[in-house]
Every structure is written in structure tokens, then in C-alpha cells.
């Protein structure tokens, strides 16, 4: 941009062309008040507090929407400007109810501050037109109409940041105020409670209902990372006397730029919930591991000292090893814990216990992505960062309900689509929010995505759209792949999947002809017995077009947990050490044996579901669990319960007495996310440092510290001075994390690989060469799901998450506001399937599979396709995983959560 | 480009249940949505037509529209709450009364008082009074809109009549006497929907060139007198640049209010980069005291189409919209008919008059908002949103409808174009007086014997218009003041009668020619009352797009009482001056910028009127301060 010079308050001012007068003034420290302006939003020029005088231009001009022009003379403090500013503030202040308690949770009110700064009086007669009243109908977000100054920032935030279109300024003139459609309750009006409106409100007219008002002086704000999904939003957590009172998004968070979703903004109360474990617990003698119905699990345990509990654990583990060998133990890490916790856990498993039987819930979400992308590209991680979304020409979402699972990324996608900057393709059997906005919505029947993916490749080749140069120069295995596609004609794909040839061709052309195309995939692709093949097919498509290794162009598995990427990176997997170096590689093993001072097991260990199976067969005797809750999260729960009950010993490090912890012999109280420092790695491989905001309750301790203590008692001392020392150790031992050093982790974090201590990180993978050298095409052929509907179980069950709940609800289940928004499991059923069964919305229904039965409330909706029902898996009382099939993908060992056969009947 | 460019992200996954609607209602709703959903800029028009199904807009219907068009439901709600003609609940039977300045001068306030007192005593009559915006027929003042009868099936049908204080007294007596059939008491039964907007013939024949002919709205009549010949000739023989040059040379100024040189505007749109441009005809005649476009729309719609087509050709667009005031029902029928006729005869549509030029011109309706008269607010309204003016710059010539270069011209402006191109710019320029070019339609109303529309030279003096053309002041009461430019103009004293009616001279006196409204105020009117009325009007019509106007207009109203007390007068005057200056300095659009003009002009030119009130006396006796209470 060329620069221009003009004079501001008599001073020559140089700015780039297009800079507004407000930006120019503020960048020079000139005070210009505003009420409607927010740097995150399109300037509206509404409040007119920022008016300035430009010589010879007649009327005053709102600085926020007036670009500077060369040679003009601008005055921000002339008498006319002061008069307008004062009168407008007087008018606002006169309308503002005197009895109102001004401001947000901390009592901060931009209007009040301005009236104090400019010594403003209530000088005018109020219009009497402004509506009054407080709306408390939504459990989290309240509206105080009397305090609404009509600035419109909330409406803009709802449209421009959240892209939800729930709020608007309604009414004319002085009566204009924020409202929902027909003044409906916010959720009924479509609000997803992201709180963007609250975060921009200058007066607290929109407010967080559950946050008490606290004096700003007594509040401490700490920047940390959100505990929920893999987006890795930075947040400011406000604490008051060791309680979290409020959370806002951090503007400097690279992944979220101030945005949060309902869980991030409102899901913090679990950390200080009275259910938190505060002391080690030991199971009372002679009690069965299986909890009888209706018994308070706390009664099964007695309190113990740390020494007693840890000694007990150490001696029992030692006994099991002595009796059955190290591989009779299984260790589960947690994608909710930090890299440091998980690093210490896997080293504990391998060096102290001597087994590779270590895994975590990444197995259950993206193990198929990790294995497929490893095979095709060499790295099993997102090739791009979501920050590139605005640059994409085509966004292709595969098997992922972004709006409910990664809401902040969905916001970026929606903003890009609304700006008409990108076309959208969605492949999902369900209607999702994004599918309603898509240019093409491909709705394959459950588990038939692979036919569609191969069909897309077929069309691209048939229409000669493929990027031959890329195929020639950057890939191998193309010919075998090409010949594998012959049978995937559009007609055949329709037979297999139900997707029409027209939609298939439209999607193929859109994707193929886009200058930049970003694919995002989720569990709709991965949680299948063909999960690995599906992700391979995605990689094939990307390589066919050369749609990889460029900005806003690549293959992106959206990771679920806040640290699922990191837990995998640091080796909480049965076949790899930290940094994905395989346990079978002698050189690597030798290097680590030297560093860790122990012989390390050579054979890859068991995966999550295999551990459960081994337990049920009696070959696995003991388990160490760190923050995992397989009793809700694993497939075929009745089988899991049975298997765990056969264990001889089970220890769980937890923050709550979860369904799984209640079965343990010893429960060790650990720290919640808000009590930890250390690093987590988000879905875009960005390693971010987090800061504790609370002390751990009672005797609860850091996970890595507990493990070090236990390890020492087992004769393998692990000692770290502090968390940063663990971080440095990981960096030292892990090539891709070499530059991930605590002192280097500023607000932006670092995206791995960071190969040297001064390497800046790698936002974009596979730029000029793939990690494995050449990209490799893999021919993959369609196989149906392991269990399909039949006459006995005529409906196909799909499972997934809902926006307001998290996983097994051990966190969100303890947050009243979230539970009011999503109180129970809902079975979505298509009207065509519901009416013959006499099922209406609200009716309780029994859902049965070959493995069990649960009862849930029905919602009759076209969201789910005919012949298919959908149930969220969060709720232990209607656990979808009682129903799901534990059939595994042969290469990644991921279970087929997304397809099984069920029968639905009215329950009352 | 669909009905609306907004693409909602808040769409119900399962379409709304319409089972609560009757079969016929549902069929009509589906038909209307089908009819309009792929039409450009049609959301508001569609909503108005949907409203005709029930007489109001049920939520269920809005849910369906939102889902079908992917428009956010909250936007439809905001639209409903913004526009006066849209209703969220069944509307009770009512008598609508205009009390804007032209009607107030002729006793509109007393009519309202008489009826409201009578109805308050007899609520069982089941009639409500409603204050109306200016109906664009001020020659009939005081104006009332009455239901044709009391049957529910005719609730949309109403008649616009003059309702004098005498008739109102008879109504009031009838109401008190418990009479049911009020309207039989009207002096003459009202027939025909065309009411008001009377044209007083002058020798000038420009925008009003055909209005002396009967049935000029018919295509055959229009063509028989040379209609569309200019368009054909221009398309065949002139380049767009020639046309723009001729219009520039003629000195034609925009007749809608701002008085911007038309040729320059056309040139700017022509030059603006963009493959798609638009022309928008501003037929949202709403400035109180203005009724000049109505006769063109009702009685010579083809002339407007011809002018618009020439303009479209000149600026290089093939798409246009006529944004018509929702209240103008006859104009709507006549335009619908004329547009169809013109299409049929090849003057609209593809390859007009056998040339490569084509133009689609669509009729779109406003729904009751004074603010929509601002050109950018009108564009917002066309795009299916509340009529909030945009921040300028950018101007519509660069960034108008749907972000494309757009020409917005007033009806009268475009209607003048064929005559100018036919007889030449020099002829038109020469029609002006006192250094002004061309002619203007003046809407004369108030206390004159011959109210109506006069097409006369620009620059003619107020005295000439009011006394020579309008006849002496009514009822031989001396002229107390005259208001030029409608609500946004200012009151001028008799001493200024020799002022030329042209923009610069008037602006120097704190007034404005505006749309050409001239309201004569006789001695029996109270200027403070009128100024208060106008201030209230602005406070009611303020759209909310900027805070000085949104909050300042009601605050201004709150200050007026201070003028009535000797102890507070000086302070009130100072505060009004200050607020008026801020409104003018900082408001976004014309509405706020001029909202204090009526009060300020009274303060400036009529100190005696204020002084009398301060002393406890209203010279006209209408404020409850004088001998006669009204």
C-alpha cells in the first residue's frame, strides 16, 4: 500500500493508504473515544463519538469509517468535535438507567468510563422509548435491555464472528435494542452460546449469568489454553479467591483470536466442583469391582495417605510383573493431560514397567488418520493450519460436524463462506449446519464414503482434471491406483452409496478446479473398520490434484481432545517412542535405552480395545489409567465392564471418581487442566504453553509428579525439577520437538516440526517434498461396514457429539449451565422411520443392538437420513457405546463407532 | 442475486411445520414464496404480499420464508418491527389521520382531537385512531384514511378523503349517538381510488407534459402523443456519452431533495467500473407536503419508464428497480400495468426498439419508512433490510445496490428527461428564472385557495408561487409564514417572500428547496405547535443508524417545553441551538442533519411568536395558552 501524508492536530502524519483516521489517531496515541467501534468488527460509524473535523469538508466525519487522504488537515480536538462528543455522551448517559449496575462481571463499562473521563452529566430528558427488563431465560447469557445502548456490536459479533445470525438491533430510533427473532429464548432462536456478543458488549447489557460480579481489583487474570477440543484456543481466566469466575478469549491466541465456544467460555466450574478428588483412595477390602446399581461409589473407598497409596500401587504392580511379566500390564494415557504428563507416563510404562502396552484415546478417534497419512505422506498430522481457511477457494469437509465439534474453526469456515471467498463441499450422511450452506452436500449411506472418495478420483481422471505434473514429480504408485479405480463409475458409486452422479461430478469438479482446496476430515471418516482406507483415499485425492503442501491446501484431520496430537507426539502409543520413532527401530531404541538407562521392550504393544480384549481373555492382569474413562468412551461397554472386572489390579489417576475410576483398586487425585503448567499440542501441531490458574485442591498432585514418585518406588527414579525440565527433556529426545523449549513458547507457540533449538516451526507440511520423500498412492477398495441393518435390527446407528457436552461428561456434566442446554441424550430419527413406530419428538425410546439396550428421548428430524438414527455418546445413562460394535480397522485398530445395527421401540 | 443477498447460517434443519395454516392460506403462502424467491431485491415486496393473506405477519409464515430463502429469521423480525406497514398482529379497524404540517395548518390537529375524545368515551365503537405519515395528497388537507366499510374481508380496502373539522364534528356526534354507519355521513361518497395530488396546469410541459391529457397512462394514448419516440431515437442515434452531455448541459438537477446535478451523477455511474450496474427509481415520495410524483406515477407511468430507460442506457445498465411507496396503491396498479405494456410493446426487455440495448425494470414496494427516502437507506430496503442509511462515501454511484454502481434518481427527474432530449438542453435551461436552469414541480399546500402541483421555473419567487398561482391566503387570514422543502425545510417569514425558490438562496436563509414542497401557514396556526409536530415526526422516523439522531431527536422534543417559560427560555434556546448544531454536524443522513431546522427556523425568524408563548399567550390560540383552546 502506498503511503500518504496528512496533518492531524497540526502534526504531519504518514499512514498507508486506506488507513482510517481512527486507526491513524490511535496509532499516534491520540485519544478518540468510541462506543460502537471494536477492532474485531466491521466499523459501523454508528455512535459518532469518534467524529473529527476535516478542514473544508463541511460536516464532521466519523473517524472509524473515514480513510485518510493526502494533504487534508484533521482535527480530533476542535471545539466542534468536543461539542459533538460531549452532547452524544450526554444523550447516552441521560438514557442510561440510573439504577443500573454498570458493566460486565468486573464492573467495567465503557460508557461509564467515558462519562467519567469527559465529566458528563445526565443533561437531557430521556426519550422514554428504550425498553427495560432483564431476560434470564437462557442459562448462560442474560440480556439487560435497560443497559443496551444500541451500539450494535453484539449483532455484528453474532454475524461476523460467530456467524449465527441470532441477534439483531430491532426497533426504530431510540427504541432500537438487541433482540432475538420474535424475542424468543436465545437457544430457541438458534444461539450456540459462544458468548461473542457478551465479549463485545461495552456496557454489560449482555452478560454471563453464571458469573458473580466481583471487584476488578480482587481478580487475577491468567492466560492459558482451553481444556476442551483440539483447536487450542487461548483464553483469559479470571480467578477470585481460588475460584474461576469468568473466562474470555485471548485476542493473541493464534488459533482463536478472541473467539471461544460455549464449553470454553462457560465450562470451567468443574475444576472447583465439590466432586473433585482431594485425597488418595483405596478400595475397601473384598468389594467387587463392578458397582451395584444405585450405590454411591465413594462408599467403596477409604481415604489414604499418598505414601500408603503409592506403596500399595508399587507393590501390586511389582507382584503382577513378577508373576505374569511386564506385558500383563496395560497403561492408558490421556489426551486431556499435558505433553509432560504423557511423556513421563510412556517412559514410566516402557522404562519402569517394561511394556509397550500403552495407548490412549487417540486410538479411538484418529489412529486411522495417523496410520494412513503416515503411509501416504510420512506424517499423520494436519498439513495446514486453520488460520489459512480465509485463503481457501474450496473447503471440503468430510465426515465432520465442525459446528459442534470444533466450533471456533467452524466460525472461520462460515466467515469465509459468507464472504463468498470459498465454495464448500460437505460429505456427511447427516445434515449438519455446514451442509446446509454447502455448494454440494454428498450424503453417502453409513460407511460407504470410500466408494464416493474413489468415485471422485474416477471422475477427476475421466474428465482429465488430474495434476499430472504433480503426480509425475512428487508421487509414486499412481498406475496401480489408477487401475484400481475402474469399477468406481458414477453409476456404480450411486448403487453403493446413494450419492447421485450429478453431485459426485459437481463435487469432483469443484475440488479439482480450485486453485486452493483445504480438506478437513473427522471421525465420520476414521471411526470405521475401513477408517485407514478412507483416509488413504482422501490422501489419494489430494495427491491426484497436487492439493497438498501449499497454503490453504492440504489434508487436515481435525483432532478431538485438547492434547490428542501431543499425547501421540510424545509416544503414548504402543508402537512408537516420542516423535513417532518406531519401537522396532534398533538404532532408536539403542539411543533411548542409553538416555533412559533401561532395556526397552522391542515388540509393539496392545492398543486400547486390544487391552480390553486381553483383559477379558485373562492375558492382561493390571491397568494403570491416567485420566481415561473407557467405561463410557469405549465401544461395547458391557464387554468393557466385564473385562475390567477381571483385572487383578487397576489404578486410576483422576480428578473425579468417574465410571472407570470407580472400578479401580486405588484412585490417585490428580490436577485439572486449570492447575497445570506445561505444553499441549493442538490440532494444527501448535505447541502452546499453559499457565496454572488455580492451586490443586486438597492433596491432589500433578500427574507427572505422581508418576515420577511411583516410578521411583518401583526402582526407576525419575526426577524433574519442574514441568519445564520435562519439556526440555522431551525437546532433547524428540527430533520434531527439538526447538520446543519453554522459553521459546510465546503467545503464538510453535508448530512442529521444529528441528533445531532455534527452528521457527513449520506451519505447512510437505511443501517441496513429502516427509517420506515421494507421496504414495494406495489403491483402496470399498468394503461395507462390519454390521449393517437387517430385519432384526433394521436401523443404522451413527454416533457423535453435541456442542454443549464433552466426551464422557466428567467435566461438562458438572456444569449446570451446560446441562440445562443439553440435559440428556437425544436419539435423532427421521420422520419416515419415526411415524410407523409411533414415535414423536419427546417420546422415550429404547434403542437396542446385539450388545445392549439404552433408553433415550427421541427427536424426530430430517437431520438424520431415512433408515438411520443418531445418538450422542456423552451420557452414561444412555451410553451409545453400550450399542456400538467393537469391530476394528485391521491396520489402525480403531473401532467402528459410526455404524452398527439397532432397533428402536417406544419405551413407555 | 436472489431476493436477498443474506445467506443465513441459522437455518432450521427440518422445515417449519405449516399444518396450523388453512389449506388456502398455505397455498397462497407457497405460491407467493415461489413467485418471488428468485426475483431480485424482492424480499420486502414479498413480505407485503404475504401480509395480505392474513392482514398481518404470523411467525409461522416468517419461519417458512426464512427457511425457504435462507434469510435469518431475526432479520425478518427486525424488518417487521421497522416498517410501519408491517404488522405482527391483526390490525383493528381504524381511522387514519394525517397531522403533518400541511394537514395541521388546515385543522388536522383539531380533527384528531375531536375524534379521539369521542372515541375515548365510546370504546365500544371499536374504531382506533392512527396517526399517519404524510399521504402525498396535501391538496386535500386535512387528510384521513377511512375503511370502506367494517367487514373483515375488506380490511385492506380504504379510502383517502378530506376530513374537515366540520365533518369530524359530525363524526364525533355520530359516535356519541351510537351510530354504526359513520361513513355514510361523509359529504360526498368517495369513489375511485385516485385521490389527491392535484395538478394545476401551467404552460410548462416537462415532467408534467402529458398530465393535461385524459387517459395518458394508457400506452396507446401515450404513444399517440410521441411517447417512447425519444427513447427510440436516442437508442438508435445517440451514444450514452451524448445523452449524458445533453443532460449535463440542460442543467437538470435532482428533484428529490438534494438537488445534485443529474448529468454529473449519470457520468459518475457510467464511469464507475463494474460489469453489472443498476438504476433505481426513487418513487418513495414521503416528504411531508410533497405530492408531485404521485400524478406522474398514477397518470403518466410510461413517461417515467421512458425516462428511466434512457437513463439506464446512458449509464450502461440492464437492470432497474422502481422503489414505490407502499401506500400508493393506484400507482402500483398503474405501474404494474404500464411495465407489462411496455414489455409487450418492446420498450422493456431484450433488444429494445430493435437495438442491442435491453432493460429489465422491476417494481418493488416500500413498507412505510420516511428514512427510506435517503438513497442509501432505500438500497438497504431493496436488499431486504431495515431502511438504515449507509455510511457515505462510498456513494451509490460506485457502491450501490448489492455493492454495484447504482444510479438513484427521483421520479420527477427521470420524467423530465424525454422532454429535454426532445427539445434540447438549451430549451430546458432557458426555462429557468433568476439565474436558475429549468423547471421544478412545486407542491403548494396549506392556507392557499388553490393548493396543488405547479410545474414552474426554478428561481421563481415564493411570492409569485403563493400569490399569483396559489391565490390569496385562505380565509383572508394574513400569511404568517411559509415552509419550503417539507419537514426538513424551515419556516420563513413574510418578509422573505421575494426569495427565489432555488437552492443557494434558500440555504442561505436556513431553509432548503428540498423536494419542492411549499406550505403556506396562515395566522391561525401556531408555529411552535408546528415545529413541535415536525420535531416529533423526526423523532418517530429516526431510523437508529446513528446515535446523534436516534437519541438527539427525542431529546430535542424534550427541550421545547423550556421555551414556554420565561425562566427557562434562554437556557432552552441555547440547548436547542447546541443540539441542533450537533445534529447537523454529526448525523449520518439528511434526516438527522435537518431535524432541528423547523425549531431553529422559528427561533431565528419568529422571535415574537416565542416571546408571546413565553408570556403565556399563543397568538393563534392553539397551544392551550391563548384565549381559544383547541
Amino acid at each position: 500500500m502506498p503511503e500518504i501524508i496528512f496533518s492531524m492536530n497540526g502534526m504531519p502524519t504518514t499512514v498507508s493508504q486506506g488507513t482510517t483516521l481512527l486507526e491513524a489517531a490511535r496509532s499516534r496515541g491520540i485519544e478518540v473515544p468510541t462506543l460502537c467501534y471494536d477492532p474485531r468488527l466491521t466499523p459501523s460509524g454508528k455512535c459518532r463519538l469518534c467524529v473529527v473535523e476535516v478542514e473544508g469538508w463541511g460536516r464532521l466525519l466519523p473517524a472509524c469509517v473515514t480513510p485518510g487522504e493526502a494533504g487534508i488537515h484533521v482535527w480530533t480536538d476542535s471545539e466542534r468535535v468536543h461539542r459533538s462528543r460531549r452532547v452524544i455522551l450526554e444523550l447516552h448517559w441521560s438514557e442510561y438507567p440510573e439504577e443500573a449496575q454498570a458493566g460486565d462481571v468486573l464492573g467495567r463499562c465503557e460508557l461509564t468510563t467515558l462519562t467519567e473521563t469527559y465529566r458528563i452529566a445526565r443533561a437531557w430528558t430521556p426519550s422514554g422509548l428504550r425498553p427495560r427488563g432483564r431476560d434470564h431465560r437462557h442459562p448462560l447469557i442474560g440480556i439487560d435491555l435497560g443497559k443496551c445502548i444500541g451500539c450494535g456490536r453484539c449483532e455484528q459479533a453474532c454475524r461476523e464472528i460467530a456467524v449465527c445470525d441470532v441477534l439483531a438491533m430491532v426497533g426504530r430510533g431510540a427504541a432500537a435494542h438487541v433482540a432475538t427473532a420474535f424475542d424468543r429464548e436465545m437457544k430457541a432462536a438458534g444461539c450456540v452460546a459462544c458468548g461473542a456478543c457478551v465479549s463485545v458488549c461495552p456496557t454489560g447489557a449482555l452478560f454471563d449469568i453464571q458469573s458473580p460480579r466481583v471487584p476488578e481489583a480482587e481478580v487475577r487474570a491468567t492466560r492459558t489454553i482451553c481444556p476442551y477440543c483440539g483447536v487450542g484456543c487461548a483464553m483469559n481466566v479470571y480467578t477470585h479467591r481460588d475460584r474461576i469466575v469468568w473466562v474470555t478469549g485471548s485476542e493473541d491466541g493464534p488459533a482463536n483470536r478472541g473467539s471461544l465456544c460455549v464449553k470454553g467460555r462457560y465450562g470451567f466450574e468443574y475444576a472447583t466442583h465439590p466432586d473433585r478428588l482431594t485425597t488418595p483412595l483405596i478400595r475397601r477390602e473384598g468389594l467387587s469391582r463392578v458397582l451395584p446399581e444405585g450405590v454411591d461409589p465413594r462408599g467403596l473407598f477409604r481415604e489414604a495417605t499418598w505414601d500408603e497409596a503409592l506403596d500399595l500401587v508399587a507393590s501390586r504392580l511389582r507382584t503382577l510383573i513378577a508373576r505374569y511379566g511386564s506385558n500383563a500390564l496395560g497403561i492408558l494415557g490421556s489426551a486431556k493431560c499435558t505433553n509432560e504428563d504423557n511423556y513421563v507416563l510412556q517412559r514410566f510404562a516402557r522404562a519402569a514397567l517394561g511394556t509397550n502396552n500403552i495407548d490412549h484415546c487417540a486410538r479411538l478417534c484418529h489412529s486411522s488418520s495417523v496410520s494412513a497419512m503416515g503411509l501416504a505422506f510420512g506424517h499423520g498430522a494436519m498439513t495446514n493450519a486453520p488460520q489459512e481457511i480465509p485463503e481457501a477457494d474450496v473447503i471440503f469437509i468430510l465426515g465432520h460436524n465442525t459446528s459442534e465439534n470444533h466450533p471456533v474453526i467452524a466460525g472461520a469456515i462460515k466467515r469465509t463462506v459468507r464472504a463468498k471467498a470459498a465454495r464448500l463441499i460437505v460429505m456427511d450422511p447427516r445434515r449438519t449446519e455446514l451442509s446446509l450452506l454447502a455448494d454440494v452436500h454428498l450424503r453417502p449411506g453409513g460407511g460407504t464414503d470410500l466408494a464416493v472418495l474413489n468415485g471422485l478420483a474416477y471422475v477427476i481422471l475421466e474428465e482429465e482434471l488430474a495434476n499430472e505434473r504433480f503426480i509425475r514429480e512428487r508421487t509414486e504408485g499412481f498406475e496401480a491406483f489408477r487401475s484400481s479405480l475402474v469399477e468406481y463409475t458414477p453409476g456404480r458409486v450411486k448403487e453403493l452409496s446413494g450419492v447421485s452422479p450429478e453431485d459426485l461430478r459437481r463435487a469432483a469438479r469443484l475440488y479439482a478446479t480450485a486453485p486452493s482446496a483445504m480438506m478437513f476430515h473427522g471421525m465420520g471418516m476414521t471411526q470405521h473398520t475401513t477408517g485407514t482406507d478412507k483416509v488413504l483415499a482422501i490422501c489419494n485425492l489430494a495427491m491426484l490434484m497436487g492439493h497438498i503442501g501449499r497454503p490453504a491446501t492440504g489434508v487436515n484431520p481435525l483432532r478431538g481432545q485438547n492434547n490428542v496430537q501431543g499425547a501421540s507426539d510424545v509416544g503414548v502409543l504402543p508402537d512408537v517412542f516420542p516423535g513417532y520413532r518406531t519401537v522396532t527401530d534398533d538404532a532408536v531404541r539403542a539411543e533411548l535405552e542409553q538416555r533412559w538407562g533401561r532395556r526397552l521392550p522391542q515388540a509393539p504393544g496392545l492398543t486400547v480395545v486390544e487391552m480390553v480384549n486381553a483383559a477379558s481373555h485373562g492375558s492382561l492382569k493390571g491397568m494403570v489409567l491416567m485420566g481415561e474413562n473407557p467405561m463410557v468412551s469405549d465401544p461395547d461397554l458391557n464387554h468393557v465392564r466385564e473385562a475390567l472386572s477381571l483385572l487383578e489390579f487397576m489404578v486410576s489417576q483422576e480428578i473425579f471418581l468417574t465410571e472407570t475410576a470407580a472400578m479401580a483398586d486405588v484412585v490417585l487425585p490428580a490436577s485439572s487442566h486449570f492447575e497445570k503448567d506445561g505444553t499441549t499440542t493442538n490440532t494444527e501441531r501448535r505447541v502452546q504453553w499453559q499457565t496454572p490458574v488455580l492451586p490443586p485442591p486438597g492433596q491432589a498432585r500433578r500427574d507427572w509428579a505422581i508418576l515420577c514418585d511411583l516410578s521411583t518406588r518401583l526402582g526407576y527414579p525419575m526426577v524433574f525439577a519442574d514441568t519445564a525440565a520435562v519439556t526440555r527433556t522431551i525437546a532433547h529426545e524428540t527430533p520434531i520437538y527439538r526447538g520446543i523449549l519453554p522459553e521459546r513458547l510465546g503467545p503464538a507457540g510453535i508448530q512442529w516440526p521444529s528441528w533445531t533449538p532455534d527452528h521457527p516451526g513449520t506451519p505447512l507440511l510437505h511443501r517441496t517434498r513429502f516427509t517420506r520423500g515421494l507421496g504414495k498412492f494406495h489403491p483402496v477398495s470399498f468394503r461395507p461396514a462390519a454390521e449393517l441393518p437387517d430385519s432384526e435390527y433394521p436401523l443404522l446407528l451413527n454416533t457423535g457429539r453435541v456442542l454443549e457436552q464433552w466426551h464422557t461428561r466428567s467435566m461438562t456434566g458438572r456444569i449446570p449451565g451446560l446441562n440445562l442446554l443439553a440435559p440428556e441424550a437425544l436419539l435423532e430419527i427421521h420422520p419416515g422411520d419415526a411415524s410407523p413406530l409411533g414415535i414423536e419428538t419427546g417420546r422415550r425410546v429404547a434403542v437396542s443392538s446385539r450388545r445392549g439396550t439404552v433408553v433415550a428421548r427421541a427427536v424426530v428430524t430430517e437431520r438424520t437420513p431415512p433408515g438411520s438414527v443418531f445418538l450422542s455418546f456423552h451420557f452414561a445413562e444412555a451410553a451409545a457405546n453400550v450399542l456400538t460394535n467393537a469391530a476394528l480397522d485391521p491396520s489402525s485398530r480403531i473401532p467402528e463407532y459410526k455404524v452398527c445395527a439397532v432397533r428402536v421401540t417406544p419405551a413407555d | 442475486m436472489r431476493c436477498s443477498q443474506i445467506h443465513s447460517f441459522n437455518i432450521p434443519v427440518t422445515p417449519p411445520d405449516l399444518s396450523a395454516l388453512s389449506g388456502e392460506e398455505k397455498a397462497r403462502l407457497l405460491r407467493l414464496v415461489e413467485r418471488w424467491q428468485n426475483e431480485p431485491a424482492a424480499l420486502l415486496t414479498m413480505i407485503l404480499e404475504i401480509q395480505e393473506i392474513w392482514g398481518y405477519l404470523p411467525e409461522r409464515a416468517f419461519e417458512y420464508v426464512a427457511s425457504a430463502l435462507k434469510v435469518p429469521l431475526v432479520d425478518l423480525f427486525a424488518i417487521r418491527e421497522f416498517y410501519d406497514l408491517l404488522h405482527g398482529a391483526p390490525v383493528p379497524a381504524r381511522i387514519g389521520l394525517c397531522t403533518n404540517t400541511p394537514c395541521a395548518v388546515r385543522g388536522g390537529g383539531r380533527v384528531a382531537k375531536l375524534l379521539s375524545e369521542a372515541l375515548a368515551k365510546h370504546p365500544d365503537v371499536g374504531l382506533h385512531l392512527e396517526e399517519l405519515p404524510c399521504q402525498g395528497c396535501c391538496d386535500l388537507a386535512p387528510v384521513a384514511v377511512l375503511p370502506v366499510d367494517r367487514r373483515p374481508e375488506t380490511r385492506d380496502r380504504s379510502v383517502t378523503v378530506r376530513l374537515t373539522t366540520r365533518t369530524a364534528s359530525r363524526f364525533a356526534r355520530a359516535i356519541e349517538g351510537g351510530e354504526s354507519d359513520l361513513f355514510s355521513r361523509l359529504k360526498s361518497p368517495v369513489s375511485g381510488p385516485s385521490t389527491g395530488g392535484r395538478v394545476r396546469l401551467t404552460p410548462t410541459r416537462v415532467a408534467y407534459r402529458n398530465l393535461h391529457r385524459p387517459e395518458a397512462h394508457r400506452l396507446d394514448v401515450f404513444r399517440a402523443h410521441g411517447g417512447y419516440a425519444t427513447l427510440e431515437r436516442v437508442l438508435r442515434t445517440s451514444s450514452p456519452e451524448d445523452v449524458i452531455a445533453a443532460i449535463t448541459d440542460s442543467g437538470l438537477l435532482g428533484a428529490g431533495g438534494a438537488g445534485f446535478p443529474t448529468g454529473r451523477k449519470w457520468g459518475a455511474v457510467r464511469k464507475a467500473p463494474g460489469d453489472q450496474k443498476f438504476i433505481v427509481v426513487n418513487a418513495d415520495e414521503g416528504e411531508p407536503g410533497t405530492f408531485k410524483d404521485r400524478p406522474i406515477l398514477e397518470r403518466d407511468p410510461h413517461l417515467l419508464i421512458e425516462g428511466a430507460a434512457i437513463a439506464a442506457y446512458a449509464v450502461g445498465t440492464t437492470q432497474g428497480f422502481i422503489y414505490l411507496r407502499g401506500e400508493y396503491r393506484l400507482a402500483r396498479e398503474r405501474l404494474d400495468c404500464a411495465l407489462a405494456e411496455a414489455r409487450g410493446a418492446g420498450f422493456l426487455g431484450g433488444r429494445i426498439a430493435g437495438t442491442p440495448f435491453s432493460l429489465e425494470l422491476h417494481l418493488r414496494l416500500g413498507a412505510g419508512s420516511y428514512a427510506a427516502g435517503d438513497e442509501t437507506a432505500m438500497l438497504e430496503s431493496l436488499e431486504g433490510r431495515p431502511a438504515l442509511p449507509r455510511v457515505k462515501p462510498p456513494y451509490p454511484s460506485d457502491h450501490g445496490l448489492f455493492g454495484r454502481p447504482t444510479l438513484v434518481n427521483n421520479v420527477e427527474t427521470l420524467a423530465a428527461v424525454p422532454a429535454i432530449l426532445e427539445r434540447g438542453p438549451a430549451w430546458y435551461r432557458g426555462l429557468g428564472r433568476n439565474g436558475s436552469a429549468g423547471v421544478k414541480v412545486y407542491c403548494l399546500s396549506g392556507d392557499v385557495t388553490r393548493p396543488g402541483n405547479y410545474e414552474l421555473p426554478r428561481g421563481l419567487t415564493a411570492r409569485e408561487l403563493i400569490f399569483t398561482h396559489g391565490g390569496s391566503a385562505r380565509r383572508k387570514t394574513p400569511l404568517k409564514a411559509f415552509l419550503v422543502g417539507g419537514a426538513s425545510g424551515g419556516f420563513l417569514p413574510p418578509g422573505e417572500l421575494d426569495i427565489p425558490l432555488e437552492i443557494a438562496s434558500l440555504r442561505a436563509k436556513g431553509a432548503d428547496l428540498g423536494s419542492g414542497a411549499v406550505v403556506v401557514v396562515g395566522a391561525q396556526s401556531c408555529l411552535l405547535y408546528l415545529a413541535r409536530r415536525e420535531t416529533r415526526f423526526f423523532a418517530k422516523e429516526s431510523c437508529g443508524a446513528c446515535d446523534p439522531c436516534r437519541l438527539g431527536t427525542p431529546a430535542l422534543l424534550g427541550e421545547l417545553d423550556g421555551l414556554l417559560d420565561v425562566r427557562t427560555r434562554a437556557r432552552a434556546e441555547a440547548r436547542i441551538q447546541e443540539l441542533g448544531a450537533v445534529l447537523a454536524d454529526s448525523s449520518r443522513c439528511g434526516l438527522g442533519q435537518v431535524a432541528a431546522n423547523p425549531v431553529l427556523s422559528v427561533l431565528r425568524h419568529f422571535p415574537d411568536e416565542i416571546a408571546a408563548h413565553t408570556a403565556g399567550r399563543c397568538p393563534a390560540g392553539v397551544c392551550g395558552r391563548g384565549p381559544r383552546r383547541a
Side-chain angles (χ1 to χ4, degrees), chain B residues 488-507:
Chain B
S488 48
F491 294 98
L492 293 173
E496 302 286 359
L497 275 168
D498 291 313
I499 195 167
L501 293 176
E502 58 87 24
I503 294 164
S505 317
L506 285 162
R507 284 188 184 160

Side-chain angles (χ1 to χ4, degrees), chain A residues 35 44-48 51 58-62 65 80 83-84 86-88 90-92 95 123-125 127 129-130 149-151 155 159 163-176 179-184 189-191 414-415 417-418 420 431-433 436-437 831 860-863, chain B residues 5-15 57-60 62-63 70 72-78 80-84 367-370 386 391-393 539-548 550-552 554-556 558-559 571 575-579 581-589 593:
Chain A
L35 276 174
S44 66
K46 192 166 186 298
C47 75
R48 305 253 148 181
V51 286
R59 298 180 210 284
L60 303 181
L61 295 160
V65 289
R80 270 172 80 196
R83 178 178 62 189
S84 268
R86 175 174 50 76
V87 169
I88 293 167
E90 284 172 1
L91 290 167
H92 271 296
E95 286 281 330
W124 305 90
T125 316
S127 69
L129 297 172
R130 177 177 295 177
I149 59 169
C151 67
E155 171 180 0
R159 284 170 200 261
V163 204
C164 283
D165 303 333
V166 172
L167 298 176
M169 300 309 293
V170 169
R172 263 195 209 166
T180 58
F182 307 104
D183 293 316
R184 289 177 185 173
C191 172
K414 292 195 287 181
R415 287 193 289 275
V417 172
R418 170 165 281 185
K420 306 223 185 294
R431 270 192 202 157
T432 60
E433 184 194 31
L436 292 170
L437 315 167
V860 178
T861 169
E862 291 175 17
R863 189 190 298 268
Chain B
Q5 289 248 307
I6 306 162
H7 199 70
S8 181
F9 289 68
N10 184 359
I11 317 160
V13 172
T14 303
L57 289 159
E59 285 183 36
R60 194 51 59 85
F62 263 2
E63 281 175 2
K70 297 191 176 181
L73 190 60
V74 73
D75 286 2
L76 297 180
F77 178 59
R80 192 185 85 181
E81 298 300 294
F82 186 86
Y83 292 99
D84 287 337
S369 159
Y370 173 73
V391 171
K392 287 175 270 189
K540 176 177 172 291
E541 294 293 342
S542 173
C543 68
C546 73
D547 288 346
R550 182 172 91 80
L551 304 174
L556 185 65
E559 288 304 308
R571 182 164 181 271
R575 286 161 62 81
I576 290 167
Q577 299 281 4
E578 175 167 70
L579 188 48
V582 171
L583 279 165
D585 253 350
S586 299
S587 296
R588 180 181 286 190
C589 81
Q593 288 159 9

Side-chain angles (χ1 to χ4, degrees), chain A residues 451-463 466 481 485 488 504 508 537 540-541 544:
Chain A
V452 180
L453 292 166
N454 277 347
L456 290 170
Y458 179 97
V459 171
I460 288 172
L461 286 170
E462 184 200 50
E463 301 193 1
F481 169 62
L485 291 176
Y488 295 95
L504 189 75
N540 289 340
L541 266 182
L544 203 52

